[in-house]
Amino acid sequence: MCLIAFAWHSHPRWRLLLAGNRDEFHARPSASLSHWSDLPIIGGRDLEAGGTWLGVTESGRCCVVTNVRDPRDPQHGASRGLLATDYLAGENGAVAHARGLLATAADYRPFNLLTFDTEHGFYIGNRPTAKAQPIEPGVHGLSNADFNTPWPKTKALMVRLQAWMNAGHEVDFAPLFRALTNEQQAPDEILPETGVGPERERWLSSAFIRGERYGTRACTIVAIDYEGKGMIVERRFGPMGRFQGETELPLNPQPAGRSFVGWVSAA
């Protein structure tokens, strides 16, 4: 997952409203959005490492992971996607999970992680050092840099999400999907410098990345209300942005006495 904008405790209906793109090599095997048979997770699945780039649970938990774009930083350690799976399938809430992960964050490849339960949200990262911070109510953004780093495409998606809320939308997600598939590139003078060169920075500066070997694989909307009900919608794309299908699944809180957790982002 390489681009995320979300509203936390700031929409009258949705406790969490999240719009995100997963960018990945097209050759990396992945399973579409579904209910996992072996874990209480709803999400897509990375079939190479076994984790997920974005996931939810019936109890209203959510987790998203991105990598950190720095070609000088070696990709050593455990898969990022397992961070999301562990949170979603685990027992700790967002606060306890964040505290515990700080001790082992250095064991994973460079990551940014967002975790949400019914009350709390957290950002956890491990570059340049391990850190965790609670998420305050409002509209936030994340790409392949630190939390709320104002990269042009991150700022643009946050603006589009805020405009969607200001227009009074509740379930018409078409404007958000249009924002996620926007291919407008940022002007050179405001491109970030992440060490990949100006041509690649330009190509990666659009919300939707179209390429034969690498590009946007999935656009996903998550909407969870204050009772834990909601939905997750995924649109999938192949090489050169060819549309490959859409899946929408409802989220229904489990009856009292049943406790489930979960969702992720692989790498």
Side-chain angles (χ1 to χ4, degrees):
M1 177 70 68
C2 290
L3 177 62
I4 303 160
F6 66 92
W8 176 243
H9 281 271
S10 56
H11 187 278
R13 178 171 179 177
W14 304 117
R15 178 180 77 223
L16 173 65
L17 179 64
L18 182 148
N21 279 350
R22 179 205 183 202
D23 303 328
E24 182 56 89
F25 287 100
H26 290 292
R28 186 164 184 137
S30 302
S32 304
L33 171 67
S34 68
H35 290 262
W36 293 16
S37 61
D38 57 334
L39 291 171
I41 294 174
I42 305 169
R45 193 163 197 171
D46 172 46
L47 298 179
E48 185 171 305
T52 181
W53 50 95
L54 173 61
V56 295
T57 63
E58 292 283 8
S59 62
R61 290 164 62 121
C62 175
C63 188
V64 190
V65 66
T66 79
N67 66 358
V68 178
R69 191 196 304 167
D70 185 349
R72 299 158 298 187
D73 195 342
Q75 299 292 308
H76 297 322
S79 170
R80 288 173 285 264
L82 300 178
L83 287 165
T85 307
D86 289 347
Y87 172 70
L88 292 172
E91 297 182 355
N92 285 337
V95 176
H97 171 267
R99 291 171 178 163
L101 181 55
L102 285 176
T104 60
D107 297 336
Y108 293 86
R109 298 172 191 173
F111 74 84
N112 296 307
L113 187 72
L114 299 175
T115 60
F116 304 92
D117 60 24
T118 57
E119 298 181 29
H120 302 98
F122 262 85
Y123 162 75
I124 308 104
N126 68 346
R127 291 298 186 271
T129 58
K131 55 198 170 186
Q133 69 180 77
I135 297 172
E136 300 296 329
V139 173
H140 303 276
L142 178 66
S143 187
N144 302 112
D146 208 347
F147 185 50
N148 281 329
T149 295
W151 281 5
K153 66 179 182 180
T154 310
K155 291 171 57 180
L157 187 59
M158 291 169 62
V159 168
R160 297 284 288 272
L161 176 57
Q162 184 65 63
W164 187 90
M165 295 196 300
N166 292 345
H169 291 301
E170 289 193 355
V171 293
D172 178 11
F173 299 131
L176 296 181
F177 276 116
R178 286 196 293 271
L180 290 172
T181 54
N182 183 9
E183 297 186 56
Q184 182 177 354
Q185 297 179 349
D188 286 358
E189 60 270 19
I190 61 172
L191 289 174
E193 296 183 11
T194 63
V196 299
E199 183 176 352
R200 192 167 181 82
E201 296 282 15
R202 191 179 305 117
W203 180 53
L204 295 174
S205 70
S206 58
F208 189 89
I209 299 171
R210 187 183 298 270
E212 187 63 44
R213 297 180 60 250
Y214 179 91
T216 299
R217 298 277 304 270
C219 300
T220 307
I221 304 291
V222 176
I224 303 175
D225 69 14
Y226 293 91
E227 296 180 350
K229 299 177 182 178
M231 67 195 77
I232 175 171
V233 188
E234 176 189 84
R235 292 182 180 177
R236 296 174 294 279
F237 302 87
M240 299 308 297
R242 290 188 290 272
F243 180 69
Q244 293 186 327
E246 175 177 327
T247 303
E248 177 178 330
L249 295 175
L251 304 181
N252 300 305
Q254 295 292 330
R258 297 179 67 186
S259 177
F260 290 135
V261 188
W263 80 329
V264 183
S265 234

